[in-house]
Amino acid sequence: MFALVDGNNFYVSCERVFNPKLEGVPVIVLSNNDGCVVARSAEAKALGIPMGAPYFQLKQLVKDHGIRTFSSNYPLYADMSQRVVTVLNGFAPCEVYSIDESFLDLQGVPPASRIQLGHDIRQKVRRWTGIPTCVGIGPTKTLAKLANHVAKKRPECAGVCDLSDPALRRHVMPAIDAGEVWGIGPKSAKKLAGVGVRTVADLAGMAPRLARQLLTVTGERIVHELNGTRCIQLDLSPPPKQATAVTRSFGQPVTTVAAMEEAVASYATRAAEKLRQEGMGATALQVFMHTNPFNGDPRCSRAGLHSFPEPSSDTLEIVSAATRLARRLFRPGYRFSKAGVMALDLVATADAPRDLFTQADRGKSARLMEAVDALNDRMGRNTIWTAAAGINRPWQQQRRRLSPNYTTKVEDLPMVRL
DNA sequence: TCTGGGGTCCTAGGACCC
DNA sequence: TCTGGGGTCCTAGGACCC
């Protein structure tokens, strides 16, 4: 049996923990570059603001209703997420599924006390971290997700729903759209509607073979999971990452090779830092860049790959490969709006294969990177960096409405007045 | 006229998730 | 003027092997 614990409007809730004036008023959090809406309070949802709405289209609404608006403050949300997980680990073995969702293993919990456990979890997480949550319980992950959906939508659940009883499932499933099921996106929902499958009940009653024909194995698995047959296991120690990416939209369009090289070098620097934090090396590096697909600018989309002779997490190597690719891919005459660096085919540094023919001194590189990381860790990110990443950085993103890093920066600690 | 069978690996593209 | 970022999994098709 699984429980899915999910933070309500997670980013908004994080902002509210340290700014109680945000309670009861509409609040939204924006994506990077203040581009579009990625989190909404209940009050903002009630105003009809859809998920993913471009911010510039909402400015009037924001003004009219006094909607409080924040740039996303990722360090704050990540730290709050960790605090929630710490509390959850006190209840049961826990798979962290995303920044605001975790699956718990309820094996051994007597059926009669599951609901009470759900309420205990909610109460403790709320009291210890300030984050409101909902808890969904079910015999498969897909049913636990569905139960969580029900817990959120139905006030009488008081935030906890257990869908382990098939009779209860038969009762709720006809009232929920198939598109709400975990793994059914807009395209699949449309395909399903084409064969008359509209509700979760329809989907659960579908012949597994037909589901496979329409939606490949993933579709067949969903049908089984909805009927209580477990196809997706709990992953208590998630497998190592296969890839890591650093991609950003620019604060203003990039039109020169020099600016593109700088931007890509700075993303590559960050990618190398991430690799070292995770103890991984990249076998290959991909760089891409493209123009804005929305605003009618001439389209240009470019991508290129570089393979390393042996896995690397060395900033200098990665930056040099990335800038070479950027130079090669860049085309003058276009207004590029976004670029990215992706480190691929990651290998744990400890058991990375060595190249027989390269002379690189791995020990020296490792010591240099250790020194760089130590400096940037102690004195603040970007205390030292490669000159390739530029100084003025006109392409850097806009984040005009950033809240303080209440929990991760000494200068930003909240003040208490007596 | 008629041109095999069985396998692996790689890549690109699509769909989905939060 | 202005539309996010970071991942995963699956499939199809091509190249290549013996």
Side-chain angles (χ1 to χ4, degrees), chain A residues 319-370:
Chain A
V319 165
S320 124
T323 46
R324 257 180 286 133
L325 278 169
R327 254 197 310 280
R328 203 185 83 204
L329 297 168
F330 183 83
R331 288 290 175 271
Y334 290 101
R335 294 157 47 84
F336 286 98
S337 68
K338 181 175 180 174
V341 171
M342 294 158 91
L344 307 171
D345 298 329
L346 307 190
V347 183
T349 311
D351 41 53
R354 299 295 312 269
D355 184 82
L356 201 52
F357 304 105
T358 45
Q359 302 295 314
D361 183 344
R362 284 286 156 197
K364 194 173 162 191
S365 149
R367 287 194 299 279
L368 177 59
M369 289 305 119
E370 219 172 284

Side-chain angles (χ1 to χ4, degrees), chain A residues 48-358:
Chain A
I49 297 177
M51 188 69 168
Y55 177 57
F56 72 92
Q57 291 174 359
L58 297 175
K59 283 192 174 155
Q60 194 57 46
L61 197 69
V62 165
K63 213 171 153 188
D64 293 348
H65 293 89
I67 301 171
R68 302 292 312 272
T69 306
F70 293 88
S71 304
S72 37
N73 185 344
Y74 200 75
L76 174 66
Y77 311 149
D79 184 61
M80 294 305 288
S81 171
Q82 256 184 28
R83 295 177 185 211
V84 172
V85 169
T86 305
V87 178
L88 296 180
N89 270 316
F91 284 95
C94 176
E95 173 191 338
V96 179
Y97 174 65
S98 77
I99 193 162
D100 70 329
E101 281 177 56
S102 292
F103 286 103
L104 302 190
D105 184 0
L106 297 194
Q107 209 176 21
V109 178
S113 41
R114 276 189 218 126
I115 294 265
Q116 186 52 51
L117 177 67
H119 288 295
D120 292 348
I121 290 172
R122 292 192 73 212
Q123 198 188 3
K124 194 167 205 169
V125 171
R126 182 67 190 250
R127 188 167 295 166
W128 287 23
T129 70
I131 300 292
T133 55
C134 283
V135 180
I137 298 167
T140 65
K141 282 184 166 181
T142 305
L143 283 170
K145 286 278 285 188
L146 190 69
N148 190 278
H149 173 83
V150 175
K152 280 215 168 85
K153 296 280 167 181
R154 297 196 175 206
E156 71 268 27
C157 290
V160 182
C161 172
D162 180 358
L163 281 184
S164 53
D165 176 12
L168 181 60
R169 295 208 289 268
R170 279 194 292 276
H171 176 67
V172 298
M173 281 179 168
I176 307 173
D177 283 347
E180 299 289 348
V181 172
W182 188 39
I184 303 294
K187 305 267 178 181
S188 304
K190 207 174 159 194
K191 279 188 195 166
L192 289 170
V195 296
V197 172
R198 295 200 165 73
T199 69
V200 184
D202 296 340
L203 183 57
M206 214 175 162
R209 282 194 50 174
L210 178 59
R212 190 186 192 114
Q213 212 181 312
L214 219 57
L215 308 174
T216 78
V217 272
T218 29
E220 180 172 356
R221 277 203 281 259
I222 289 169
V223 170
H224 286 304
E225 284 250 321
L226 283 175
N227 287 289
T229 305
R230 194 174 304 172
C231 302
I232 309 168
Q233 306 302 323
L234 198 71
D235 243 326
L236 291 180
S237 50
K241 259 202 264 189
Q242 304 168 26
T244 194
V246 179
T247 72
R248 297 278 182 279
S249 305
F250 301 129
Q252 49 182 269
V254 163
T255 55
T256 66
V257 212
M260 181 62 81
E261 275 184 51
E262 265 185 35
V264 166
S266 98
Y267 304 164
T269 303
R270 179 71 195 119
E273 281 170 8
K274 280 166 77 174
L275 287 172
R276 293 196 294 275
Q277 269 169 22
E278 288 160 25
M280 307 293 274
T283 311
L285 194 73
Q286 190 185 33
V287 169
F288 73 84
M289 58 189 72
H290 60 71
T291 53
N292 189 332
F294 301 106
N295 67 358
D297 276 1
R299 296 286 189 99
C300 181
S301 178
R302 314 263 308 154
L305 196 68
H306 172 86
S307 294
F308 292 108
E310 50 186 58
S312 174
S313 61
D314 181 300
T315 298
L316 300 180
E317 267 176 33
I318 289 176
V319 165
S320 124
T323 46
R324 257 180 286 133
L325 278 169
R327 254 197 310 280
R328 203 185 83 204
L329 297 168
F330 183 83
R331 288 290 175 271
Y334 290 101
R335 294 157 47 84
F336 286 98
S337 68
K338 181 175 180 174
V341 171
M342 294 158 91
L344 307 171
D345 298 329
L346 307 190
V347 183
T349 311
D351 41 53
R354 299 295 312 269
D355 184 82
L356 201 52
F357 304 105
T358 45

